[in-house]
Amino acid sequence: MKRYYFELLDENFTSLGANIADGSNKNTALNAAKRFMKANGIIYAQLQVNSILTENILDIIEIDLTEEEPAQPQAEQEAAAEPTATDFAQRLDNATTQEEYAAALADMAAYIEQLGQKIEDNYTAVEGLQKECHDFGRRLAKIRAEIEAEEAADAAKEAARAKREAKQAEEDARAAEQAAKFVEGLQRTAEEIKQKLAKQAQPKAQADQPEAPEQVASKLQATDKPQAATTYRINIVDGCTNYKTQEISIGGITDLWQAKNRARAMMVQIAALTGFDLTNDNYGYIAADRRGDNVYVARIFNEQTNEMIKL
C-alpha cells in the first residue's frame, strides 16, 4: 500500500512541478527528484514527504547536487551492483552465528521490499502511460469529429452554392427565351406595320398622278355627300428600359368596339411573351413587371380629333 506522496520545492518552498510517483520508499522518490533536477539544471531543492492517510508533512529532505559524489569508474559500479538471490543464499550458507544469519535474512527482506517498491513504481508509471494514451485517444477522436463536422459544413455550403448556380442558370435561360420571344413578336409587329404602310402608300402614289376629267367631276359630286365615318387609331408605347422607347401605331379602324378588342388582344400577347402583369386604367391597357421598370401602354385615339378614348 502506498504511504507517501511527494512534492519537490525550491528554496522558497515553491513547487517545481516535478511528477514524482506516490509510494512507500523515500529513496525511490529521492532518486526521481534528482533525475528531474539534473534534467532541468536545478542544483538545490527540497523533497517534501507527505502522508497519504493524514496529509501531514512527515519530512523535508534537502537535495544539493553540488554535494553529489563523482561518478564511479565502471569497475566500481560493477562492484557496487545490487546483490542477487545467489548472494543472499551464499550469505545464509556462510553464516556461522545466529546474528549473521538473522542479518542476512533482514537484508534479504529489505531487498525484497525494495524490489516490490520498484515493481509498484513501474506499475504506477505504466498506469500513467495508459491514462495519457487514453486521453490522447479522446483528444484525437474529438479533433477527428471536428474535422468531419467542418467537411460536412463545407459540403453543405458547396451543395447550396451549386443549387443557387443551377437556379440562376435556369432563370437566365428562361429570361433569354422570353427575350427571344419578345424580339420575335416585335419583328412580327414591325413586319405588319411595314405591310400596312406599304398598303397606305399605294393610294398616295395613285393620288400624285394627274386626274382624269371624269375623276375631277366625280370628286366635285362627292363634295355634296355626307362626311366620312369616324376612324380610330391604336398606339402602343414600348417603355422598357432594355430597349429604345418606340411607338407602334395602327389606324384606320372604323369600329370603336373592334379597336378596344384589338388593343386588348395585342397587350395580352405582349404580356404572355414577357411574363408581365396585365392591368388597365380609364384610358388603356398596361403590361408591366412587378417593379415597374419595364412597361407597355396601349391607348386608343380618335383619328379625326386626336382625342384619347376612354375604355
Side-chain angles (χ1 to χ4, degrees):
M1 178 181 176
K2 300 176 182 178
R3 295 189 296 170
Y4 310 121
Y5 68 91
F6 306 93
E7 189 171 4
L8 191 62
L9 311 173
D10 62 9
E11 60 272 13
N12 297 320
F13 295 95
T14 302
S15 177
L16 296 173
N19 185 15
I20 301 175
D22 301 343
S24 300
N25 194 312
K26 297 180 182 179
N27 290 330
T28 303
L30 186 61
N31 292 332
K34 289 179 179 180
R35 287 194 297 271
F36 177 83
M37 293 171 63
K38 290 178 181 179
N40 293 275
I42 301 172
I43 302 299
Y44 175 81
Q46 302 176 86
L47 181 63
Q48 180 176 294
V49 183
N50 307 280
S51 172
I52 292 179
L53 183 61
T54 64
E55 297 187 356
N56 293 329
I57 300 175
L58 302 179
D59 193 7
I60 294 180
I61 303 173
E62 296 185 356
I63 306 172
D64 190 351
L65 296 184
T66 57
E67 299 177 357
E68 289 287 313
E69 296 180 358
Q72 298 178 350
Q74 184 68 23
E76 293 181 7
Q77 291 181 2
E78 292 178 356
E82 294 181 352
T84 63
T86 304
D87 295 335
F88 286 112
Q90 289 178 355
R91 285 185 60 186
L92 291 173
D93 292 339
N94 296 331
T96 58
T97 64
Q98 187 175 0
E99 288 78 6
E100 291 179 355
Y101 192 84
L105 286 176
D107 291 343
M108 189 173 186
Y111 177 69
I112 291 173
E113 183 183 0
Q114 190 175 21
L115 288 179
Q117 181 61 42
K118 288 184 178 179
I119 293 172
E120 185 178 359
D121 293 343
N122 290 334
Y123 180 75
T124 302
V126 170
E127 283 184 337
L129 289 175
Q130 288 177 342
K131 184 178 181 301
E132 290 181 1
C133 290
H134 180 68
D135 293 342
F136 179 76
R138 287 194 302 177
R139 289 196 298 269
L140 187 62
K142 183 179 179 181
I143 293 172
R144 185 182 293 111
E146 291 176 352
I147 293 174
E148 290 177 354
E150 290 179 357
E151 291 177 349
D154 292 341
K157 290 180 181 179
E158 184 64 22
R161 185 185 64 79
K163 185 176 180 181
R164 288 196 302 270
E165 291 180 352
K167 184 177 180 181
Q168 185 63 42
E170 182 179 353
E171 292 178 355
D172 293 344
R174 186 161 53 249
E177 182 180 359
Q178 291 178 354
K181 290 182 179 179
F182 174 72
V183 172
E184 183 180 355
L186 286 181
Q187 291 175 346
R188 286 199 303 268
T189 304
E191 185 64 27
E192 292 176 0
I193 294 172
K194 187 186 296 183
Q195 293 176 1
K196 182 174 286 293
L197 291 176
K199 290 180 181 179
Q200 292 176 355
Q202 290 178 359
K204 183 178 180 181
Q206 294 176 359
D208 293 339
Q209 297 178 358
E211 297 181 349
E214 56 272 15
Q215 292 176 339
V216 175
S218 176
K219 285 185 177 181
L220 290 174
Q221 294 176 0
T223 56
D224 298 333
K225 295 182 180 180
Q227 294 182 354
T230 302
T231 58
Y232 302 95
R233 179 180 75 253
I234 300 172
N235 282 5
I236 299 179
V237 177
D238 169 13
C240 288
T241 57
N242 297 332
Y243 303 93
K244 293 181 179 179
T245 301
Q246 55 185 339
E247 183 175 308
I248 299 173
S249 179
I250 301 174
I253 304 172
T254 58
D255 184 81
L256 179 59
W257 181 84
Q258 181 183 5
K260 293 180 179 180
N261 283 348
R262 188 167 181 182
R264 186 179 187 283
M266 293 178 67
M267 292 301 290
V268 167
Q269 181 181 9
I270 291 175
L273 291 173
T274 59
F276 292 172
D277 297 330
L278 181 62
T279 59
N280 65 277
D281 57 14
N282 291 335
Y283 287 93
Y285 299 98
I286 302 170
D289 62 5
R290 301 197 177 190
R291 294 183 302 177
D293 295 336
N294 304 314
V295 62
Y296 297 87
V297 180
R299 306 291 189 195
I300 301 174
F301 294 87
N302 184 317
E303 287 190 317
Q304 281 69 41
T305 64
N306 203 31
E307 178 185 1
M308 188 183 301
I309 304 298
K310 287 187 177 182
L311 294 182

